[in-house]
């Protein structure tokens, strides 16, 4: 127990340190790997790497279009992807009834989704433009800026509380990215331009920040409202914005494309990979978080490199395998311990009892009391109250958080 000496300096009782050591030893002895390395964690890792494989597919098709066919029309590629989202998810919203229909959604939140669509389109466009001004190494390093921005935005707007293990895990993942960049430099793959490095690096940071904003909006929408609503609105406004930008900026590039079946097949492959990525990413975001998803996507560059070993004759380096292992270790560690909502604000203002799927407010009070008691008794299983309630059905107007 801490005591105060005659001079007013606080002295620590040595027995306190012994108690802490005993407590740590008891926790280590009680550690059960099965409670951490669960089937849910395995599915999370698998889904994350599935998304990374889709990103790899977009990278490979874009590389073929640029290198073999000299096609420079990134906005056309995005336009086709957004159009597919619009044709499916926006159409699905048209056939919904009640508040889940497209027109009530537009009446209430049209300007919000317009901003989300604008942010998403420009995030994709700015990172592609960055390749004209800076190097691949700079882009790979600075693109990781999305993760700290995401964590800050999640704390501010989603009331997410990260534990020390999460910060350590993020650092481990970034260390893996550093190993990947080192392998690129050793292999002489510092590709790209150096015409205006400062502008290019600024575009990468801008793109990372925009991606972070888009991902936080996605996490909020799919956990509080509806996955179909988010994809339908992003598809609608993304199609409009990318279409206008395509007509203004790339009409000459599109007119100069020498179309044949191979180019059409590459465009179709890119669009299908992006469509599948957009469709599946909200599912993984809802089960984990936007931050966890972006950590899993750090391996996408590595998967692209492995494909490039066979398709584009890249030089192999053992550091690539080391980087992959380090990133996966960090990703597993991040998802092994659940994040929790801010104790000062356990229920976000947007999640009233009606939207949360409860018949009356007493259900929420009971759920919060149970969660608090579990925390105090040390019986918490690592799943936060907010995560446990994400699987509840919402009774009104077809609003369901299940996917």
């Amino acid at each position: 127990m801490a005591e105060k000496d005659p001079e007013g300096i606080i002295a620590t009782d040595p027995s306190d340190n012994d108690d802490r050591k005993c407590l740590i030893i008891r926790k280590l002895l009680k550690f059960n790997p099965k409670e951490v390395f669960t089937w849910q964690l395995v599915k999370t890792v698998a889904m994350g790497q599935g998304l990374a494989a889709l990103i790899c597919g977009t990278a490979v098709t874009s590389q073929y279009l640029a290198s073999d066919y000299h096609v420079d029309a990134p906005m056309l590629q995005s336009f086709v992807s957004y159009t597919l989202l619009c044709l499916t998810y926006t159409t699905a919203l048209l056939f919904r009834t009640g508040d889940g229909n497209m027109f009530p959604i537009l009446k209430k939140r049209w300007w919000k989704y317009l901003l989300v669509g604008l942010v998403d389109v420009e995030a994709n466009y700015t990172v592609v433009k960055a390749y004209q001004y800076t190097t691949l190494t700079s882009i790979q390093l600075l693109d990781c800026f999305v993760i700290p921005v995401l964590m800050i935005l999640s704390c501010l707007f989603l009331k997410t509380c990260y534990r020390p293990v999460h910060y350590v895990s993020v650092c481990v993942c970034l260390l893996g990215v550093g190993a990947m960049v080192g392998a690129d430099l050793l292999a002489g793959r510092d590709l790209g331009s150096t015409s205006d490095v400062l502008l290019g690096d600024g575009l990468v940071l801008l793109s990372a920040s925009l991606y972070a904003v888009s991902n936080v909006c996605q996490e909020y929408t799919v956990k509080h409202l509806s996955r179909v609503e988010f994809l339908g609105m992003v598809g609608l406004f993304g199609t409009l914005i990318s279409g206008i930008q395509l007509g203004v900026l790339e009409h000459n590039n599109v007119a100069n494309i020498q179309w044949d079946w191979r180019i059409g097949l590459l465009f179709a492959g890119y669009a299908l990979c992006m469509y599948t990525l957009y469709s599946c990413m909200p599912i993984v975001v809802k089960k984990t978080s936007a931050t966890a998803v972006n950590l899993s996507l750090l391996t996408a560059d590595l998967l692209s490199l492995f494909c490039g070993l066979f398709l584009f004759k890249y030089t192999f380096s053992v550091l690539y395998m080391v980087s992959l292992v380090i990133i996966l270790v960090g990703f597993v560690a991040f998802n092994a311990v659940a994040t929790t909502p801010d104790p000062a604000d356990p229920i976000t203002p947007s999640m009233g009892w009606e939207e949360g799927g409860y018949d009356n407010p007493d259900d929420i009070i009971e759920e919060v009391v149970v969660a608090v008691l579990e925390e105090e008794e040390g019986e918490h299983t690592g799943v936060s109250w907010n995560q446990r309630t994400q699987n509840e059905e919402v009774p009104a107007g077809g609003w369901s958080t299940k996917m």
Side-chain angles (χ1 to χ4, degrees):
M1 184 174 181
E3 297 178 355
K4 197 178 263 190
D5 66 10
E7 296 181 0
I9 301 175
I10 297 178
T12 303
D13 190 342
S15 62
D16 289 346
N17 293 329
D18 294 337
D19 291 341
R20 292 192 188 96
K21 292 179 181 177
C22 292
L23 180 61
I24 293 173
I25 292 174
R26 284 200 299 269
K27 287 184 176 181
L28 290 175
L29 291 176
K30 291 181 180 179
F31 174 73
N32 184 3
K34 293 182 178 180
E35 295 179 358
V36 176
F37 301 102
T38 61
W39 177 241
Q40 179 63 35
L41 179 60
V42 174
K43 289 193 294 183
T44 299
V45 173
M47 289 188 295
Q49 294 314 294
L51 296 180
L54 292 171
I55 292 285
C56 172
T58 64
V60 170
T61 52
S62 297
Q63 180 73 16
Y64 268 120
L65 285 171
S67 61
D68 290 11
Y69 300 98
H70 307 290
V71 174
D72 181 21
M75 193 52 66
L76 175 60
Q77 295 173 244
S78 296
F79 175 75
V80 176
S81 304
Y82 287 121
T83 301
L84 289 177
L85 292 175
C86 184
L87 290 175
T88 52
Y89 293 102
T90 308
T91 303
L93 290 178
L94 280 172
F95 289 96
R96 281 188 167 188
T97 59
D99 291 339
N101 185 266
M102 185 181 76
F103 296 107
I105 293 173
L106 288 174
K107 185 177 180 181
K108 293 178 182 178
R109 295 181 285 275
W110 69 270
W111 64 272
K112 296 180 181 178
Y113 284 117
L114 174 62
L115 292 177
V116 172
L118 179 63
V119 165
D120 198 72
V121 171
E122 299 310 322
N124 291 321
Y125 182 72
T126 50
V127 72
V128 173
K129 292 296 292 183
Y131 281 93
Q132 299 179 13
Y133 303 104
T134 190
T135 63
L136 175 65
T137 300
S138 295
I139 292 174
Q140 289 174 330
L141 284 174
L142 295 177
D143 198 42
C144 298
F145 184 65
V146 65
I147 294 172
V149 175
L150 255 176
M151 297 181 77
I152 293 172
L153 294 177
S154 297
C155 290
L156 292 176
F157 298 103
L158 302 180
K159 306 303 179 185
T160 303
C161 289
Y162 294 101
R163 301 179 182 180
V165 65
H166 296 121
Y167 296 106
V168 173
S169 302
V170 168
C171 292
V172 171
C173 289
L174 297 182
L175 180 63
V177 174
M180 176 184 66
V181 171
D184 283 344
L185 294 175
L186 292 175
R189 288 194 64 250
D190 195 18
L191 306 177
S193 172
T194 56
S195 60
D196 194 336
V197 174
L198 187 61
L199 175 59
D201 292 349
L203 288 174
V204 178
L205 293 176
L206 175 61
S207 173
S209 301
L210 293 175
Y211 273 126
V213 173
S214 176
N215 289 164
V216 167
C217 293
Q218 180 181 110
E219 181 174 352
Y220 179 89
T221 305
V222 300
K223 288 184 177 180
H224 293 177
L225 298 174
S226 164
R227 164 180 169 266
V228 175
E229 176 180 331
F230 178 81
L231 294 175
M233 291 295 100
V234 168
L236 174 63
F237 289 107
T239 301
L240 294 175
I241 296 169
S242 62
I244 295 172
Q245 201 161 330
L246 171 64
V248 173
L249 300 177
E250 292 185 357
H251 59 278
N252 290 328
N253 293 349
V254 174
N256 293 329
I257 297 176
Q258 303 296 319
W259 291 96
D260 63 20
W261 68 271
R262 289 178 290 268
I263 293 179
L265 189 62
L266 289 172
F267 267 98
Y270 177 91
L272 287 175
C273 286
M274 284 297 291
Y275 174 80
T276 308
L277 175 68
Y278 271 89
S279 299
C280 296
M281 189 170 177
I283 300 175
V284 187
V285 166
K286 185 178 177 180
K287 291 182 177 295
T288 57
S289 67
T291 304
V293 169
N294 277 271
L295 287 175
S296 70
L297 294 182
L298 293 177
T299 61
D301 287 334
L302 284 166
L303 296 178
S304 300
L305 289 170
F306 293 147
C307 290
L309 294 174
F310 303 98
L311 301 176
F312 308 114
K313 308 304 179 183
Y314 290 162
T315 303
F316 177 76
S317 173
V318 178
L319 279 177
Y320 290 142
M321 297 302 300
V322 174
S323 175
L324 178 62
V325 172
I326 292 174
I327 293 175
L328 288 177
V329 168
F331 178 66
V332 169
F334 186 94
N335 286 279
V337 179
T339 58
T340 57
D342 193 331
D345 188 16
I347 305 174
T348 57
S350 64
M351 279 293 289
W353 64 272
E354 291 180 346
E355 289 181 339
Y358 297 95
D359 295 330
N360 59 71
D362 292 337
D363 294 340
I364 290 183
I365 297 174
E366 180 182 354
E367 192 74 30
V368 173
V369 170
V370 170
V372 171
L373 289 175
E374 288 179 348
E375 289 278 4
E376 291 178 351
E377 295 173 3
E379 299 175 356
H380 204 278
T381 60
V383 180
S384 67
W385 168 83
N386 193 36
Q387 290 171 313
R388 292 199 302 275
T389 58
Q390 285 166 11
N391 293 325
E392 297 289 341
E393 289 282 0
V394 181
W399 292 84
S400 171
T401 58
K402 283 186 180 294
M403 296 185 221

